Amino acid sequence: MTLYSKIIGTGSCLPANRVTNQDLARQLAEKGIETSDEWIVSRSGISARYYADPGTRSSDLAVEAAKNALQMAGLLANDIDLIILATSTPDHLGGFPSTATVVQRKLGITNECAAVDVQAVCSGFIYAVSIADSFIKSGAHKNVLVIGAEVFSRILDFNDRGTCVLFGDGAGAAILSASQQPGILATKLHADGRHSEILYVSGNVSGGVLEGSAFLSMDGQAVFKLAVKVLDQVAHEVLEKAELNASQVDWLVPHQANIRIMRGAAKKLGLPMDKVIVTVDEHGNTSAASIPLALDVGVRDGRIKPGQTVMMEGVGGGFTWGAILARM
Ligand code: UT7
């Protein structure tokens, strides 16, 4: 009998502090940096984003998202036998110990299940779901908690208007369980380290001292061009693997970085924008959290229904990218 993995629950969490473009423009103006709601909306589609309080870590947002996903799945925390958490803003320096193990403890999981972080920046959730899918299909694990969680505001340089207006904080979770029904239909992952410096954090810590910058830096136009190209390629790769065509996709849930990239991806697939789940306007770019946050919004507002086919696609630092086709 073929074993599949299936998404049986989703959840998400946003911090309380909603910051509009106008709020941000006012804060930047105090430092003599000019930006405007008009510029941010027209270039990115973003109107607002959420910032966590200084005491809140990725694991705090992750735990709330996970609790919501567990509730939807009808599972208890101790039913989980693997946690995979995607983040570029882990609780601890160098992700040591992993934020996944922090989440395990905060959820009260005592069954000694495996827990690990995945680092693929904005493609992190796609990587994490693909890994979960393989583990479930191999029979190694049955109920996998996959989380994308970020406090990206911590690595933003608020003197760099080209990046600080784009990103926000949040977490999204999905529970994948072994099933005799599909499930995840196809996954495809890629990376090309030759493009690592178009979107990265240059710094490192040596002898307890920061060398380089702890802030994200990005060549926006280079990222934009590459993103549009590779998203289209990988979307077709998963369609081919699943032997489906784009017209059979009910919902596109892309990484929420820029509405113009999302429009480009949908157009190339021949999908109208009313088949695309868009949260970038309200959430900004939450990196590894953006896809599961958008997925949860679509599931909870009733647009994404059981039995429908969903394409998720992500792209980010590394350079990494990937896509997943899932039957809900
Ligand atoms: O999650 C990982 C994936 N990340 C992405 O997908 C991001 C991809 N890139 C983008 O989304 C876009 O490139 C941006 C939104 C970052 C920028 O849009 P753009 O149309 O590529 O603008 P640009 O960088 O070419 O900048 C145009 C102008 C520049 O001024 P000059 O040189 O033409 O005088 C910038 O200095 O806009 C200026 N600018 C701003 N003006 C007002 C840059 N940031 C701002 C700002 N407010 N916040």
Side-chain angles (χ1 to χ4, degrees):
M1 193 184 306
T2 314
L3 195 57
Y4 297 97
S5 75
K6 196 170 173 67
I7 296 173
I8 62 160
T10 63
S12 58
C13 173
L14 291 164
N17 183 18
R18 180 175 180 269
V19 177
T20 65
N21 290 347
Q22 288 86 350
D23 296 332
L24 206 48
R26 270 193 298 274
Q27 285 166 27
L28 295 187
E30 284 170 19
K31 303 184 200 200
I33 299 169
E34 197 191 319
T35 190
S36 64
D37 176 55
E38 194 279 327
W39 189 94
I40 303 169
V41 171
S42 66
R43 299 296 173 122
S44 71
I46 297 166
S47 296
R49 76 288 292 143
Y50 292 79
Y51 292 153
D53 295 335
T56 300
R57 294 184 171 196
S58 287
S59 66
D60 297 311
L61 304 176
V63 163
E64 293 312 310
K67 284 181 182 167
N68 294 334
L70 283 165
Q71 194 176 32
M72 189 188 287
L75 293 182
L76 299 172
N78 267 310
D79 294 329
I80 296 299
D81 59 10
L82 171 63
I83 302 170
I84 308 178
L85 187 144
T87 187
S88 295
T89 47
D91 280 23
H92 297 281
L93 190 66
F96 178 4
S98 72
T99 304
T101 58
V102 179
V103 167
Q104 183 192 43
R105 173 173 55 77
K106 289 184 177 175
L107 282 174
I109 296 178
T110 52
N111 62 10
E112 299 181 354
C113 72
V116 69
D117 286 0
V118 160
Q119 170 52 293
V121 198
C122 302
S123 315
F125 183 75
I126 299 292
Y127 267 68
V129 169
S130 303
I131 295 165
D133 177 53
S134 295
F135 269 122
I136 289 172
K137 281 182 183 155
S138 76
H141 294 276
K142 279 203 176 73
N143 294 316
V144 184
L145 171 59
V146 179
I147 307 172
E150 303 282 8
V151 284
F152 236 63
S153 57
R154 306 282 154 77
I155 58 167
L156 296 180
D157 179 357
F158 285 92
N159 290 307
D160 175 9
R161 67 178 182 172
T163 55
C164 73
V165 300
L166 303 174
F167 296 89
D169 303 339
I175 292 172
L176 274 76
S177 282
S179 165
Q180 282 157 19
Q181 315 290 331
I184 303 296
L185 304 172
T187 67
K188 188 70 193 167
L189 302 176
H190 288 285
D192 187 344
R194 289 173 297 179
H195 303 294
S196 60
E197 290 182 12
I198 61 175
L199 174 54
Y200 76 138
V201 177
S202 70
N204 205 338
V205 172
S206 179
V209 178
L210 176 68
E211 292 178 349
S213 170
F215 293 130
L216 165 158
S217 69
M218 177 170 78
D219 176 346
Q221 288 192 359
V223 172
F224 193 104
K225 279 188 204 135
L226 201 54
V228 171
K229 185 178 125 197
V230 299
L231 285 176
D232 189 48
Q233 284 170 357
V234 79
H236 284 97
E237 282 177 307
V238 279
L239 285 169
E240 205 170 303
K241 265 181 102 173
E243 297 179 6
L244 292 177
N245 57 56
S247 65
Q248 292 168 291
V249 172
D250 295 299
W251 293 103
L252 179 63
V253 185
H255 172 46
Q256 310 280 320
N258 187 319
I259 192 71
R260 293 186 289 143
I261 296 177
M262 292 156 70
R263 284 196 193 114
K267 193 173 171 197
K268 284 185 170 209
L269 284 170
L271 293 174
M273 279 308 283
D274 60 11
K275 286 193 165 195
V276 184
I277 305 289
V278 176
T279 53
V280 70
D281 53 338
E282 261 300 303
H283 300 172
N285 180 347
T286 57
S287 192
S290 92
I291 295 170
L293 265 163
L295 181 68
D296 189 49
V297 166
V299 167
R300 284 179 192 266
D301 70 17
R303 277 179 291 173
I304 300 176
K305 296 182 179 62
Q308 287 189 325
T309 302
V310 172
M311 181 187 287
M312 293 171 261
E313 55 176 22
V315 59
F319 214 69
T320 57
W321 65 101
I324 291 166
L325 266 176
R327 175 104 2 104
M328 300 301 290

